[in-house]
């Protein structure tokens, strides 16, 4: 069986380093906002090429607190995409604002910048592009529109740790950026975790208050805050894994090239390898009109696949009230996307086996 992801292989590879990092935290006996979190924040900010990183409880919370730190809430609109994890829209609603969905680019599968102007109203405050599957969104035109209309750009980097756009890391382009450290992400903890990064030290200061009851000092709340902290054990784990992130992203890219070569003439639509950036293949997603049949066929051949995501947010039962424009590219993508196994510990033989199985799939035109 080739599973769609396998976290045990990664733990096995890094076991001595991880076990000693976790033991170190347990021995020191500080579990919340201690030296591991502070060190991870410095290291992760440097990695992203920004001055500030603030560790929080999850990726959803990173987006939520980023919005709060910009004073975005009730009465405000935030433009994003519906072809993403539901968390992107959930965070906007947790902040009390309204998500407005624009369509995706049919090749890149990220926010189509040409759709933005028509979605802007006097209530629009921010744009959240999502670097979906590890592919950097087309940030330059998005930032142009944002500048013209004085909107904030908050990058959703939950799937794109380490991805590059025009040679610079994603997360360093927007006013703020949100990361998730959910276990399966390119940089994953062994529980929930997230971070907001920014070059704005005032915003970072607000984030540090917001994540812990609005405390400027212990027991003195100068803001109405929340409880959303990265913990010491997770930070220690993330510090170990951050040292391996570039190598594991390089491995993902190299396996993606194998897929790209072996699947070239199969009729599947393959992911765009953008010329203006570096994709980090959080997921290797292909598209086909025969998705269900292919998925069943692969399952019969002991190959696990996943679908990210089968229902776009505007068609989710909980979000049917949300008003939205026509999103034809989003809806077609949701019907066609299929995530093949891809993670740094996957063997090249396994990628070849997946490709052999796909090539043996009886195509129906
Ligand atoms: C995983 C993810 C999130 C949410 O992260 P959590 O840590 O699970 O809250 C947000 N946006 C995208 C695009 C994601 O993939």
């Amino acid at each position: 069986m080739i599973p769609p992801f396998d976290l045990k292989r990664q733990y096995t590879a890094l076991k001595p380093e991880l076990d000693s990092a976790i033991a170190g935290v347990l021995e020191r006996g500080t579990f919340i906002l201690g030296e591991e979190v502070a060190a991870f924040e410095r290291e992760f900010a440097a990695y992203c090429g920004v001055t500030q990183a603030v560790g929080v409880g999850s990726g959803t919370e990173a987006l939520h607190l980023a919005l709060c730190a910009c004073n975005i809430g009730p009465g405000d609109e935030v433009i994003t995409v519906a072809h993403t994890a539901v968390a992107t829209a959930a965070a906007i609603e947790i902040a009390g604002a309204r998500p407005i969905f624009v369509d995706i680019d049919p090749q890149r599968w990220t926010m189509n910048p040409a759709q933005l102007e028509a979605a802007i109203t006097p209530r629009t405050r921010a744009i959240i592009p999502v670097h979906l599957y590890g592919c950097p969104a087309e940030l330059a035109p998005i930032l142009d529109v944002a500048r013209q209309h004085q909107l904030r750009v908050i990058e959703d980097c939950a799937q794109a740790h380490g991805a590059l756009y025009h040679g610079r890391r994603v997360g360093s382009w927007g006013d703020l950026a949100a990361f998730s450290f959910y276990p399966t992400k390119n940089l994953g903890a062994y529980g929930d975790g997230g971070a907001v990064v920014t070059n704005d030290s005032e915003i970072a200061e607000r984030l540090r208050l917001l994540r812990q009851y609005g405390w400027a000092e212990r027991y003195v709340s100068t803001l109405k805050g929340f409880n959303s902290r990265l913990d010491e054990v997770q930070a220690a784990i993330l510090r170990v894994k951050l040292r391996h992130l570039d190598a594991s992203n390089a491995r993902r890219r190299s396996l993606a090239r194998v897929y790209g070569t072996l699947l070239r003439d199969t009729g599947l639509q393959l992911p765009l390898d953008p010329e203006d950036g570096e994709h980090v293949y959080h997921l290797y997603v292909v598209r086909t009109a025969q998705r269900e049949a292919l998925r069943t066929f692969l399952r019969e051949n002991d190959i696990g696949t996943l679908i990210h995501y089968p229902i776009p947010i505007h068609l989710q039962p909980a979000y049917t009230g949300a008003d939205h424009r026509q999103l034809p590219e989003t809806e077609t993508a949701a019907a066609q996307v299929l995530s093949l196994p891809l993670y740094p510990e996957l063997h090249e033989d396994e990628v070849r086996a997946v490709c052999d199985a796909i090539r043996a799939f009886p195509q129906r035109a």
Side-chain angles (χ1 to χ4, degrees), residues 101-144:
F101 302 115
V102 294
D103 214 351
I104 55 168
D105 178 274
Q107 257 72 50
R108 198 168 180 127
W109 312 339
T110 56
M111 178 179 278
N112 183 344
Q115 306 265 319
L116 286 172
E117 288 283 355
I120 293 171
T121 75
R123 291 176 297 280
T124 310
R125 298 286 312 283
I127 303 173
I128 303 185
V130 181
H131 305 302
L132 198 72
Y133 309 146
C135 181
E138 258 184 291
L139 288 169
I142 295 171
L143 289 161
D144 279 347

Side-chain angles (χ1 to χ4, degrees), residues 54 78 255:
V54 180
V78 177
L255 294 173

Side-chain angles (χ1 to χ4, degrees), residues 44 47 160-163 169 185-188 240-252 280 344:
F44 192 62
Y47 179 84
H161 316 69
R169 298 259 188 241
K185 307 283 164 136
N186 288 38
L187 180 61
V240 170
K241 293 207 197 173
L242 181 58
R243 297 198 280 273
H244 298 277
L245 179 58
D246 282 339
S248 69
N249 280 343
R251 173 75 182 158
R252 287 175 187 270
V280 290

